[in-house]
Amino acid sequence: MKREKMLVIALPGGASLAAALARSLRCDWSELALHHFPDGETGVRIDVAVKGCCVILAGSLNQPDTKTLPLIYAADAALELGAVQVGLVAPYLAYMRQDKRFHPGEAITSRSYARMLSASLDFLVTVDPHLHRIHTLDEIYSIRTQVVPAAPLIARWLRSHVHSPWLIGPDEESAQWVAEVAGLVGAPWTVLHKTRRGDRDVGVRLASRERWPEHVPVLLDDIISTGETMLAATRLLQKAGLGAPLCVGVHALFDAQAQSRLLEAGVSRVLTCDTVTHASNTIRMAPALARACREISA
Ligand code: R5P
């Protein structure tokens, strides 16, 4: 069966991802044209012919509120202009952490956001979404979805750069990533117990008696945002005499001070996957994302 031609369109901030995907997929890419009207509304224009194509909108959804409306307008326009299908490659998928009503009256934004994107797209490809109380994307997204795991690439990096790592997850939720990476590397692993009292107020403690003092501590989490979780874990390890950790994050949401505060606290190196553009990006995800696109669009 003949496949439709692929075409990648970069969402705001997604140009380098779009170019890398297009290179791997051997197809063209183009930027979405945006115009900001004086009244605060946004005009969206697709400057390439999409008729008969499988259109892939590419861009990470960190800082999602300004990116989501252009994404929906672009997806709707591509379909109206004759695209056969429209998918989204968002290496970081937003609004996955508000997966329950933590306080009375709160919106469960994971569900609303999934409903909104599902209404305009045919498929979604992402890297390690924050799945906690929601176990698979299919529980909230009604379109085809594919998750690209970062663990094999992180494990490959650790195998070639760190002798005898000890994988440590800063909270119970991180066990899914930590266990997988540790298994692939053949290293011991532990998760800490975390208490979050506020956006920037986090406490951690060692939940088990297990210690691997001869190993290099490697803190691993899916998201580094304010850096408070990694900071609390770093301080704990240092206080326990377990050495300066390496911090590995999948998604580098990093606020302005997070990386420098981690380095000042004694972290030996901070490294992340390039799902969100940041100076710490070390592990490239585009080739694996392109493979996922080929599979899901077939
Ligand atoms: C928690 O749900 C996530 O896995 C991360 O631990 C969290 O997002 C990190 O946030 P921060 O860097 O602000 O402590």
Side-chain angles (χ1 to χ4, degrees):
M1 199 176 67
K2 195 168 172 281
R3 292 186 65 134
E4 62 260 17
K5 187 177 145 197
M6 288 201 168
L7 173 68
V8 183
I9 298 182
L11 293 169
S16 59
L17 170 67
L21 283 176
R23 241 187 337 267
S24 292
L25 293 168
R26 296 173 199 281
C27 70
D28 292 334
W29 75 278
S30 158
E31 283 201 64
L32 190 65
L34 295 186
H35 177 73
H36 299 290
F37 293 105
D39 60 3
E41 294 186 1
T42 302
V44 170
R45 199 181 63 241
I46 297 174
D47 284 331
V48 282
V50 297
K51 198 169 169 51
C53 293
C54 167
V55 170
I56 293 166
L57 301 173
S60 236
L61 290 173
N62 56 311
Q63 304 293 329
D65 292 5
T66 50
K67 295 178 178 172
T68 304
L69 281 180
L71 150 63
I72 287 171
Y73 299 147
D76 289 349
L79 276 177
E80 286 160 18
L81 293 168
V84 177
Q85 51 177 340
V86 181
L88 168 67
V89 176
Y92 174 70
L93 182 59
Y95 284 112
M96 288 302 295
R97 285 178 289 175
Q98 289 288 332
D99 59 356
K100 80 168 207 182
R101 216 176 304 289
F102 295 97
H103 303 103
E106 279 180 355
I108 303 175
T109 48
S110 303
R111 289 186 185 283
S112 306
Y113 198 70
R115 216 168 24 240
M116 199 161 61
L117 295 195
S118 296
S120 294
L121 293 164
D122 294 301
F123 63 84
L124 162 70
V125 175
T126 189
V127 177
D128 291 346
H130 187 85
L131 294 171
H132 183 210
R133 281 157 286 258
I134 293 165
H135 301 105
T136 65
L137 286 178
D138 296 345
E139 287 177 32
I140 53 173
Y141 280 82
S142 59
I143 50 176
R144 283 171 281 147
T145 60
Q146 189 152 335
V147 170
V148 173
L153 299 174
I154 294 173
R156 189 165 74 193
W157 191 91
L158 287 175
R159 273 198 302 269
S160 57
H161 292 83
V162 183
H163 184 62
S164 296
W166 169 25
L167 273 297
I168 304 168
D171 55 26
E172 286 86 355
E173 290 166 41
S174 59
Q176 52 187 305
W177 295 282
V178 174
E180 196 182 344
V181 173
L184 291 167
V185 174
W189 66 277
T190 308
V191 290
L192 308 180
H193 178 76
K194 175 164 101 176
T195 312
R196 184 178 283 285
R197 295 171 290 259
D199 288 347
R200 292 174 187 274
D201 187 4
V202 170
V204 291
R205 65 177 167 78
L206 279 157
S208 86
R209 295 192 166 279
E210 245 180 338
R211 306 280 190 276
W212 299 85
E214 307 306 321
H215 287 56
V216 178
V218 177
L219 285 165
L220 171 64
D221 205 355
D222 62 331
I223 295 171
I224 307 177
S225 178
T226 63
E228 292 298 336
T229 300
M230 287 296 200
L231 266 175
T234 299
R235 289 181 186 131
L236 177 79
L237 294 176
Q238 290 192 325
K239 205 166 151 202
L242 293 166
L246 183 79
C247 281
V248 182
V250 178
H251 305 295
L253 295 192
F254 287 82
D255 72 12
Q257 307 302 324
Q259 185 175 12
S260 53
R261 290 180 68 215
L262 284 170
L263 294 172
E264 277 159 25
V267 163
S268 60
R269 178 168 176 183
V270 182
L271 69 105
T272 57
C273 302
D274 64 355
T275 60
V276 176
T277 306
H278 185 261
S280 61
N281 290 167
T282 307
I283 295 168
R284 290 181 57 238
M285 298 302 304
L289 287 164
R291 277 195 296 279
C293 273
R294 256 191 232 108
E295 284 166 25
I296 200 170
S297 63

